[in-house]
Amino acid sequence: MSQINVPVSLLDLAQVGPGETVREALAHSLALAEFADGTVAAARSDDSGSGGSGPGAAATGGYRRLWYAEHHNMSAIASAAPAVLVARMGAATRRIRLGAGGVMLPNHSPLAIAEQYGTLAELYPDRIDLGLGRAPGGDRATFAALRRDPADAEKFPHDVVELQGYLRGTPQQSGVVATPGAGTDVPLYILGSSLFGAQLAAYLGLPYAFASHFAPAALEQAVALYRSEFRPAQTLDGGVTEPYVIAATTVIAHDDAELVARQLHESRRQRAKLLFARDLTMSDEQADALLAGPAGRQVDEMLRYAATGTPDEVRTALNAFAEHAQADELMLASLAPDRDVWFGTVEALAPRS
């Protein structure tokens, strides 16, 4: 059996499938977290949170980390509050790293995020990550409902630095201290799908996670820019001494080729419904009509790096993708709408010690 050559992590989109309730979807997420935690080998004896082959690596073997992404006003995604999900999954697990992939910082004050993830870091020491994105994670109406302004995204670099200061416990001009938060040094990751995030991560000396699971167009250029312009963080608190790239992609793994093909098509249908109608109740026939036109080409572009097939075929594809993306770590999102195939994919691809 082939192995994946780089550390592997999971992105749980907390999707609410057709006919599922939010409660049922979150129960699946809990089961996923418990399984992923079970794949992690015993933690390093020093429990320092600094071993292994990448940022925040406290254990060897199994899935490295499990992240949740902030999305709003989407009936098929139940991860609007990633900090709450991390808190619940932290209580149900013992070893796997947990975090946001990511928090859409323009939706929040840096102080509030420092307090939330500082609290999580105190509850689950050496296990919490904080990925930060610049997009609002929803539409304009949602941005307004959150009492935010689109211009807030322009303050993203400043807000990242302010957040970093709160987590380090650096004195602020305001005199405000994040409690909990100060001194926790929660590891920060810059998320992105464009050159902007790559430049910021390089400038701040932070790890960079590229959203190639839905926006792959700039992958090669962004990673090359990040690696060429990277400068080590002035301090090691939350930073790294060498560039570190996480590349995300979607996967379906099963021994039945026809089942994989059906699941991939059904996944394309669901994306078409969500992207172009924001409604999973659209008929399959209407979704197929969308996929037959320009919408289908857009969906297929989003899935450019999707790895599907038997488990060995998927692992081979993931190794090729990691090399192509110059990735130090892969972040996998199980793509199958069928829950048995969704969970079975995660089981089949679990790294072995």
Side-chain angles (χ1 to χ4, degrees), residues 13-96:
L13 298 173
Q15 63 262 41
V16 184
E20 280 187 344
T21 65
V22 170
R23 181 177 298 178
E24 289 168 340
L26 294 179
H28 287 299
S29 289
L30 178 59
L32 180 69
E34 291 173 335
F35 171 78
D37 187 60
T39 69
V40 182
R44 289 166 56 89
S45 59
D46 62 3
D47 196 28
S48 64
S50 59
S53 58
T60 58
Y63 286 109
R64 170 66 56 83
R65 62 188 97 239
L66 174 58
W67 280 3
Y68 305 92
E70 178 183 350
H71 292 281
H72 298 282
N73 195 28
M74 299 184 73
S75 62
I77 297 181
S79 56
V84 179
L85 287 176
V86 171
R88 177 64 185 94
M89 305 313 170
T93 58
R94 293 190 299 127
R95 295 178 292 269
I96 194 166

Side-chain angles (χ1 to χ4, degrees), residues 30-223:
L30 178 59
L32 180 69
E34 291 173 335
F35 171 78
D37 187 60
T39 69
V40 182
R44 289 166 56 89
S45 59
D46 62 3
D47 196 28
S48 64
S50 59
S53 58
T60 58
Y63 286 109
R64 170 66 56 83
R65 62 188 97 239
L66 174 58
W67 280 3
Y68 305 92
E70 178 183 350
H71 292 281
H72 298 282
N73 195 28
M74 299 184 73
S75 62
I77 297 181
S79 56
V84 179
L85 287 176
V86 171
R88 177 64 185 94
M89 305 313 170
T93 58
R94 293 190 299 127
R95 295 178 292 269
I96 194 166
R97 298 190 66 84
L98 299 165
V103 164
M104 301 299 106
L105 196 52
N107 293 342
H108 313 274
S109 74
L111 175 62
I113 296 304
E115 291 170 339
Q116 290 174 21
Y117 286 82
T119 300
L120 291 167
E122 298 289 7
L123 290 170
Y124 310 113
D126 299 321
R127 291 180 57 203
I128 302 301
D129 299 327
L130 178 50
L132 302 170
R134 186 169 68 117
D139 55 22
R140 286 184 173 271
T142 303
F143 214 49
L146 290 168
R147 304 297 190 267
R148 310 301 288 179
D149 187 289
D152 290 334
E154 302 305 315
K155 299 185 294 184
F156 181 67
H158 175 274
D159 287 350
V160 171
V161 173
E162 182 180 343
L163 172 59
Q164 195 170 41
Y166 284 129
L167 293 171
R168 288 175 177 168
T170 304
Q172 304 290 306
Q173 287 186 341
S174 64
V176 174
V177 176
T179 306
T184 57
D185 296 320
V186 175
L188 301 184
Y189 298 73
I190 300 298
L191 278 58
S193 58
S194 68
L195 303 187
F196 180 91
Q199 289 177 309
L200 181 61
Y203 179 79
L204 296 177
L206 293 174
Y208 180 51
F210 192 89
S212 36
H213 62 300
F214 74 89
L219 171 64
E220 298 92 336
Q221 191 177 3
V223 171

Side-chain angles (χ1 to χ4, degrees), residues 55 160-161 164 168 187-190 197-208 226-227 229-245:
V160 171
V161 173
Q164 195 170 41
R168 288 175 177 168
L188 301 184
Y189 298 73
I190 300 298
Q199 289 177 309
L200 181 61
Y203 179 79
L204 296 177
L206 293 174
Y208 180 51
Y226 168 70
R227 289 193 176 278
E229 295 195 3
F230 179 87
R231 62 181 198 179
Q234 293 181 355
T235 72
L236 295 183
D237 300 338
V240 288
T241 58
E242 299 289 339
Y244 193 86
V245 173

